[in-house]
Each structure stands twice: as structure tokens, then as C-alpha cells.
Amino acid sequence: MWRGLWTLVARAARGPRSPRPCTRQGSGAPAPGSGATIFALSSGQGRCGIAVIRTSGPASGQALRSLTAPRDLPPARKACLRLLSDPRSEEPLDHALVLWFPGPQSFTGEDCAEFYVHGGPAVVSGVLQALGSVPGLRPAEAGEFTRRAFAHGKLSLTEVEGLADLIHAETEAQRRQALRQLDGELSHLCRGWAETLTKALAHVEAYIDFGEDDNLEEGVLDQGGSAWGVGGGNIWHLSPQRPPYSLSFPPSTADSEVRELEVALGAHLRDARRGQRLRSGAHVVVAGPPNAGKSSLVNLLSRKPVSIVSPEPGTTRDVLETPVDLAGFPALLSDTAGLREGVGPVEQEGVRRAQKRLEQADLILAVLDASDLASASSCNFLDTVVIPAGAGSPNGSSQRLLLVLNKSDLLPAGGPDPSPDLPPHLLLSCLTGKGLDGFLEALRKELAALCGDPSTGPPLLTRARHQHHLQGCLDALGHYKQAKDLALAAEALRVARGHLTRITGGGGTEEILDIIFRDFCVGK
């Protein structure tokens, strides 16, 4: 009796045929201390109006009963007011709202309880000590609640990363991107790609298993009992009656889908690290000749006195960096020494460091004094930094540049443009703020091009491991196309599919999971 195509798909999804012991449940690795009930403060340290304390595990119901005795458990997912008491001394601790979430319909998939208490340190400490006295409960480790949600299949690994990014988001763009990833857009995309490879693998496995049998079920192989695959630059015609040989037949549906997947993977890998910039911040370097107003611009953008401002040239000797929110995008803003022939060893070192930062910048804010464009330092800066950047990098770098003419308040009112021959530029006065709105809008457009628009378009790759696995998948598909043996072709598809499943958490090692979950606070 022949198995149906669904059996082949299931086999392809399982990976290699050699049996392996299964130690995972749901979509993730086993939670640390599985079986224990954990508790922690989830709302952060310090005084506050309301503090949230949560538990997760099989003893959560007993913990809730112990602190609210003699009352029984409240109805599931319904907030109830209860008097909390220490189960050892029966001393009242606080009047609190309590919530009961029986598993698996909870955040972690386990029985959970939440206590909404008044946020004073003494109240929080008393409730935590009372929970610690309940048998079977222990304090949670950092990120353990989310890790249990991952282990029970409540979140994929990319959704876990989205949750971590949402907690740490500091700008509007970061929040939008993190929320999209938490909603599962990236994991759904990767699962769709993995399903495409599963179907392709099933077709190859079908021929390997059943290609010599005349009773092959109709529809298992493409094109009425035959399938075509690309290998070694040739087109295979897989017939149940004879081995592969080179013919110019049209490719099968599976092969066309694999080609489409290659195109999609290539497009995502060519995103120029936009997602990673959005997550960690674009590197924006403010550069120019001495006394152009670079430090004034840095202070204006950061809304605090980061740099010393002085009429004396060469005041800034080192690179000063500060993280800022620029028009809703995260950025690391660097103030640099004025570019000129240094008058001493200290300033020369400052100029060398400024030039090195320019090479590393994602975006250069080139600042010139609008009232001193004819000076030797301004002309040299235009020739060595501005014009080469406008011409484009010969190595295809994504470095961008905005030319800003500062000190526009020193120009004659209503006079002509002082620099009609310059590349596209913006007039700005850091002293009066004139031109600031136009400058910020231009800056927003540049950062949107660097970091991507988190509100539209396909999901962004926010971590280096995403790019690593997509590149590994693309490389494996290249091996598939070059394979001259069906077994090697099947293995290449299996490797490609494995890279995609690792993005969402399948087959991830404990070391990788530890790195991801350690970024969470204790109560999350």
C-alpha cells in the first residue's frame, strides 16, 4: 500500500531519516527548571501606583489560594478584589486585584496568576516573600516567562525577539518595527518559505522512494507521473521507468517555486542592513572644517549640551558620541574634530579619528559656515568629503550625505543664495532655529532610506542571525541547482529548509536561546 503525498510532506518536515530523541515541546526548547513554578515582579523596580507580580507553573493555583485564603480561585480571566495575607503568619499584606489564567490559555501556556498590588517597596517585598514561602515556588530567572511561552509554542523565536525589541524600543520607528515582528510577520514569511521547500523536497523524495514502481499514485509526481528539476545546468526528466537524463523540458512547479524563493531571499539580503540599523541605530557623523557650527548642531539635535561650543577653532579634539532620536529614528550621533591640518599632535590625532569615523558613517552631516564658503578649509572640505560622496562610492557603499550651510543668520537678509554652484544643500541657523523644520524633514527622509519604513513593505531583518540563516538557505539552494544526484539535491533542500526553521526557533541550540532570552528583565 502506498502512502499519500501528505506522508511525504510529513517526512520532509521531519528532516533526516535517522531517528533523534525529541526533547522539545511546541516551538522551542524546554524551559529551564521545567515543572517548577516561578514568580517575579513584572512591572519594574521602584515606587509606582500599581505593581504587577506574576507566577507561572503548576503551583500557581495553590499560590493564589494561599495568599487569598479562605477565598477560592476567582473565575478565569476575571479581575477580583482580594485581601492578600502572608500564609505563614496570616498577617494582611495588601488589598489587591488578582487574575487567574489556567493553562494552556495563558501567556506561557501554563497555569498563571497575577497580583496587582500597590507599588510601595514594602508591599511588593512582602508579597514576594509570601510567594517564596509557598512550597514549589521559586524566583524566576531573567526572561524565563517568555522562554516558557516559547517552549510551549505560544511565541516563535522571531516573535520573542520582537517582544524584546518592543520592551527596549526608544523611538517611534523602533516601536512600529518591533510590533510588526511580535505580530508574527517575519515568522509567517519564513514559515511560508519553509513550506515551499517542504513541497519541493516531497517531490524529490517521492521519486527516490517510488520512482521504480509502476503503482505510483497519481499526482504524487508532477506532470502526470514525471517531474523536472534543475541540476548541473541541465533539466532532469524524472520518469518512473528510467533514471534521470538531460532533456529540454519545462521545469516543474516545485522548481519554479524554488527559483521564486531564491529571488525573494536575494531581495531581503540586499536590504543593506536596514533592519539592524533600525534596531541599534544609524551611525550619523557630523563633520566639517573648524568653527562651522558642528557642535552647535549636535547640541541642537540631542537637545542637551553634549559638546563644548566656543568661537576658538579646534575646540573639539575627540569624537563625542550620543544616542538620539532623530525624527523618530534611532541614531548614534558623533561630533568630530574640525578637518584641517592639525596645529599640534593632539589635534592631529583628533582629525585622524574624525576621518576614521567618516569612513564608518551611515550618514554624514557635512556642515559649512554659510558666511565663509570661500575659505581654504571650506574649499578643501568640499573637495575631499562632499563632492566625492555626491559622486558615489566606487565600492557601492550605502553611505549618504546631507550638506548643511550653518550660520545663515549671518547672511544679508533677502540676499541671493550664497552658494549657487554648490551641490544640493540646506540653509540653517543653529542660533535662531531658522531652517530647522526643513532640515529635520530632509534628515527623516535620509534615515528612512537607511533604516527602512517600519510601517510598510516586507518585514525587516533586525538581527545578524536572520541574515546568516537566509544566506545559508540561499547557498543551499545553489547547491541544489548544481547537484547531479537526487540524494544530494534532497539533502540540499533539507539544509535550506533547516536554515529557515532556525530563524523561527526550530533546531536552535541552547547557547543561541540563552543569548536571546538574557536580554529580558526578570519578570518577562
Side-chain angles (χ1 to χ4, degrees), residues 381-459:
F381 181 72
L382 283 168
D383 293 338
T384 58
V385 177
V386 176
I387 294 177
S393 172
N395 60 3
S397 170
S398 60
Q399 192 176 68
R400 307 173 75 91
L401 182 143
L402 266 182
L403 178 57
V404 181
L405 304 186
N406 188 28
K407 303 185 182 181
S408 63
D409 54 289
L410 299 180
L411 299 176
D417 188 333
S419 51
D421 299 328
L422 284 181
H425 56 273
L426 298 164
L427 285 173
L428 174 68
S429 171
C430 291
L431 180 64
T432 66
K434 184 179 180 180
L436 181 60
D437 291 342
F439 168 70
L440 290 177
E441 177 60 22
L443 184 59
R444 185 196 66 78
K445 292 179 179 178
E446 292 290 336
L447 290 172
L450 281 169
C451 301
D453 187 348
S455 302
T456 60

Side-chain angles (χ1 to χ4, degrees), residues 173 274 277-278 281-284 301 324-332 362-365 400 402 439-454:
R274 289 185 300 167
R277 287 196 194 96
L278 181 58
H283 193 180
V284 179
L301 292 176
V324 293
D325 178 348
L326 294 180
F329 290 90
L332 181 64
D362 296 315
L363 172 63
I364 299 172
L365 297 183
R400 307 173 75 91
L402 266 182
F439 168 70
L440 290 177
E441 177 60 22
L443 184 59
R444 185 196 66 78
K445 292 179 179 178
E446 292 290 336
L447 290 172
L450 281 169
C451 301
D453 187 348

Side-chain angles (χ1 to χ4, degrees), residues 100-331:
W100 167 239
F101 299 96
Q105 295 178 328
S106 66
F107 173 72
T108 63
E110 303 174 324
D111 289 348
C112 293
E114 293 183 356
F115 302 84
Y116 293 76
V117 302
H118 293 95
V123 174
V124 172
S125 176
V127 174
L128 291 175
Q129 290 183 36
L131 287 172
S133 69
V134 178
L137 267 69
R138 64 166 177 82
E141 300 174 6
E144 192 169 357
F145 285 91
T146 304
R147 188 159 189 166
R148 291 190 175 200
F150 170 69
H152 290 97
K154 292 292 184 177
L155 295 173
S156 70
L157 196 55
T158 53
E159 290 166 353
V160 168
E161 291 168 333
L163 178 58
D165 290 345
L166 187 62
I167 292 172
H168 294 99
E170 296 181 349
T171 70
E172 195 70 14
Q174 286 177 318
R175 179 190 62 78
R176 291 194 185 106
Q177 165 59 26
L179 196 57
R180 287 186 66 184
Q181 191 161 322
L182 176 59
D183 286 342
E185 290 192 22
L186 182 58
S187 61
H188 293 159
L189 182 64
C190 291
R191 287 188 182 120
W193 288 341
E195 183 179 349
T196 296
L197 292 180
T198 299
K199 292 177 181 178
L201 182 54
H203 282 283
V204 177
E205 292 263 12
Y207 179 76
I208 294 175
D209 285 351
F210 311 125
E212 299 302 322
D213 198 290
D214 294 333
N215 296 324
L216 189 64
E217 285 186 2
E218 184 180 357
V220 172
L221 292 178
D222 241 351
Q223 308 291 343
S226 298
W228 290 266
V230 178
N234 297 320
I235 304 295
W236 295 337
H237 174 256
L238 309 182
S239 169
Q241 282 75 37
R242 53 187 178 272
Y245 62 95
S246 298
L247 283 176
S248 299
F249 282 103
S252 68
T253 302
D255 282 317
S256 64
E257 289 180 346
V258 168
R259 290 192 187 94
E260 291 175 1
L261 177 55
E262 282 188 292
V263 173
L265 291 174
H268 275 76
L269 288 169
R270 288 192 299 270
D271 74 346
R273 294 180 51 252
R274 289 185 300 167
Q276 293 181 60
R277 287 196 194 96
L278 181 58
R279 180 172 175 263
S280 58
H283 193 180
V284 179
V285 174
V286 181
N291 255 18
K294 301 182 298 298
S295 297
S296 297
L297 180 58
V298 168
N299 292 344
L300 183 66
L301 292 176
S302 60
R303 302 181 185 87
K304 58 184 178 182
V306 174
S307 304
I308 297 175
V309 177
S310 168
E312 179 182 346
T315 302
T316 302
R317 299 288 184 92
D318 206 347
V319 178
L320 301 177
E321 296 183 331
T322 181
V324 293
D325 178 348
L326 294 180
F329 290 90

